[in-house]
Amino acid sequence: MRWVKIINTLKLKAKLKEKNMTQEELAAKIGINASTLNQKLNNTIGETLTIEEATKMSTILDISKEERIQIFFVD
């Protein structure tokens, strides 16, 4: 399984705000616990988003291919 190594949380949070969505709502839509999403975004548990989770987020938040590069940097 591939993981997203670096997340531009400021750009992601701006996208959430643009879509009038909270992290809690996004977490529910991608099927994970809100606190887990927060920890993954802030890399506080040593685990980051999976490619599947990032892909779901991109779809839900209508993130363009260009924006994905700016938000999710895949190792």
Side-chain angles (χ1 to χ4, degrees):
M1 181 178 305
R2 292 179 43 161
W3 302 88
V4 176
K5 297 292 185 185
I6 301 169
I7 302 167
N8 186 327
T9 54
L10 292 177
K11 286 191 181 287
L12 182 59
K13 288 177 182 179
K15 197 66 172 174
L16 280 168
K17 187 173 184 173
E18 178 185 308
K19 297 295 182 179
N20 294 315
M21 186 179 295
T22 65
Q23 281 188 30
E24 292 81 11
E25 292 168 328
L26 179 60
K29 288 180 183 256
I30 65 170
I32 64 174
N33 184 287
S35 64
T36 301
L37 175 60
N38 186 48
Q39 291 171 339
K40 286 183 173 197
L41 293 179
N42 294 304
N43 199 21
T44 57
I45 57 174
E47 184 179 337
T48 57
L49 294 171
T50 65
I51 297 297
E52 181 182 351
E53 291 165 341
T55 301
K56 286 180 182 179
M57 290 171 117
S58 295
T59 301
I60 293 163
L61 296 174
D62 193 29
I63 297 172
S64 71
K65 194 176 255 187
E66 293 79 21
E67 289 174 312
R68 283 183 222 158
I69 294 167
Q70 297 172 1
I71 295 172
F72 306 109
F73 301 92
V74 181
D75 186 22

